[in-house]
Amino acid sequence: MGTRESNEQAGGTGRRALLGAAVLGAGGTVLALGGTARAAEARHGGGGRGLKGLPVPAIVGHRGASGYRPEHTLGSYQLALDMGADIVEAGDLVPTRDGHLVCRHEPEIGGTTDVADHPEFAGRRTTKTVDGAAVTGWFTEDFTLAELKRLRAVERIPANRPHNTLYDGRWEIPTFDEVLRWQDEQTRKRGKQVWIYPETKHPTYFRGLGLGLEERVAKILRRHGKDRRNSPVILQSFEPTGIQRLSKLVDNPLVVLLSGASSRPWDFVESGDPRTVADLITPEGLEEIASYAQGIGPTLDLVIPRDAAGRLTEPTTLVRDAHRAGLILHPYTMRNENPFLPAEFRRGGDPDAYGDVFGAYRAYFATGIDGVFTDNPDTGLLAREDFVNG
């Protein structure tokens, strides 16, 4: 998911405490949610029916299980599946200098890899303008794939997730090809279809560098036989024209990501289109999106705004309006730690302490959303179980 982020039912306490203890240990596979995930799938449907076969609300592992492992690593993706996530956001796609697609949160990799510890790459540090903002660091488009494979992933927000730093240096940067092969392997091992939810990052920026993303994504998906309407790969982007371009290249489910209401997609800025996200979420704007996409991924604040104190207010009409246009909604991003939660659900002031995340989930689920991106698939699944069971 992109950078444009805002951000107990009786009888459940013991189960959550047990799960939290399992996850926050330094151990490996978490198995506690297997039965819960299977039960939820049985209640909500499944199988090979494309988007219609996904549970509602679906739990999307945001960059994997990034609340517990460094994001966009095979370790984070694997843990999300072990926890029972319905879909794994694997990954945010950016290109290398030699045209490969790799999974990183942003093209700048100083905060998500150990590149600064490699003296041979010190001269690659530079400042670039990405979507109108000056960014200093190291950029994937300045490295070959072979060079990037010498790096290792690290935790992006260690102040909030100090436990994740235990895994710094364990995993390399995965390519999109590797993720698709991993998806097939996990589908075979688990006996159920694994879904992924890649995002094209900064398409206009990379097209200007001669590294167009959409054509590369389509070519790789075709090579793997995953470019069809019911293929278990949902594609997303913050740039509507990028999604329109993809709609002409592949038949995959497509989702337009939406940031704050006053923001403008960068492709609109570049083309002179004056519309903002506020224009896109009107009934007319949603009807237009529905002409080339199957869903939207709004920031949670577009579903329930927050007041000046950071507390939730009344839900907007976005869920109702999107459903009337035939669109699904998968908002982003639920996170357990205090700083990311609405003010009324925080507990204390520690930035790495968990608040009442279950209360927050209930508020968002009650709006009728079709799914949610979360850094913590385990709590998302437990919250869904409680919400569905009433």
Side-chain angles (χ1 to χ4, degrees), residues 148-338:
L148 286 179
K149 283 296 188 179
R150 289 155 60 181
L151 308 180
R152 292 296 179 267
V154 299
E155 172 55 36
R156 184 175 60 88
I157 46 174
N160 299 109
R161 293 166 179 172
H163 50 279
N164 281 16
T165 63
L166 292 169
Y167 303 95
D168 284 357
R170 182 170 296 194
W171 293 289
E172 62 182 30
I173 297 173
T175 68
F176 189 36
D177 270 305
E178 288 169 343
V179 164
L180 291 169
R181 290 195 293 270
W182 169 85
Q183 179 188 25
D184 290 340
E185 175 187 88
Q186 293 301 312
T187 295
R188 288 192 299 269
K189 285 183 176 180
R190 296 169 188 273
K192 60 176 288 187
Q193 181 62 62
V194 169
W195 280 73
I196 62 171
Y197 211 139
E199 177 190 345
T200 55
K201 302 289 294 192
H202 308 289
T204 296
Y205 167 76
F206 284 117
R207 187 163 294 278
L209 298 178
L211 292 167
L213 297 180
E214 293 85 2
E215 295 81 3
R216 286 174 167 80
V217 169
K219 182 178 179 180
I220 293 171
L221 288 175
R222 285 196 293 268
R223 187 164 66 238
H224 288 264
K226 297 181 180 181
D227 60 334
R228 299 155 194 162
R229 185 167 302 278
N230 284 342
S231 294
V233 181
I234 306 170
L235 300 173
Q236 56 180 332
S237 178
F238 277 101
E239 296 191 11
T241 58
I243 292 296
Q244 288 175 287
R245 185 174 285 111
L246 280 168
S247 73
K248 296 176 173 63
L249 297 170
V250 296
D251 289 329
N252 298 72
L254 304 174
V255 169
V256 175
L257 297 170
L258 299 167
S259 189
S262 63
S263 67
R264 288 171 69 198
W266 187 251
D267 52 336
F268 285 14
V269 175
E270 287 284 309
S271 68
D273 188 326
R275 289 178 297 169
T276 66
V277 167
D279 296 305
L280 297 180
I281 59 175
T282 62
E284 296 77 18
L286 294 168
E287 287 287 349
E288 179 186 336
I289 290 174
S291 70
Y292 58 85
Q294 287 67 53
I296 58 173
T299 177
L300 286 166
D301 287 350
L302 293 178
V303 177
I304 311 179
R306 302 188 196 190
D307 62 20
R311 300 175 65 87
L312 294 182
T313 60
E314 290 299 311
T316 69
T317 63
L318 180 58
V319 175
R320 181 196 68 195
D321 294 342
H323 284 165
R324 284 180 175 174
L327 295 166
I328 61 170
L329 295 90
H330 291 159
Y332 66 93
T333 305
M334 283 295 300
R335 295 176 166 121
N336 286 358
E337 294 92 355
N338 273 321

Side-chain angles (χ1 to χ4, degrees), residues 63-132:
R63 308 174 198 163
S66 54
Y68 310 116
R69 300 291 186 271
E71 64 193 29
H72 286 315
T73 60
L74 290 183
S76 183
Y77 301 158
Q78 184 77 31
L79 184 57
L81 288 185
D82 290 342
M83 288 179 167
D86 304 307
I87 316 171
V88 181
E89 192 196 26
D92 290 337
L93 302 179
V94 293
T96 65
R97 188 173 70 198
D98 47 350
H100 296 276
L101 293 181
V102 296
C103 303
R104 286 292 85 194
H105 170 50
E106 286 290 326
E108 198 291 301
I109 55 174
T112 61
T113 74
D114 61 357
V115 64
D117 298 331
H118 287 255
E120 70 271 28
F121 297 138
R124 308 273 180 97
R125 191 171 188 268
T126 187
T127 298
K128 300 190 180 191
T129 300
V130 181
D131 292 4

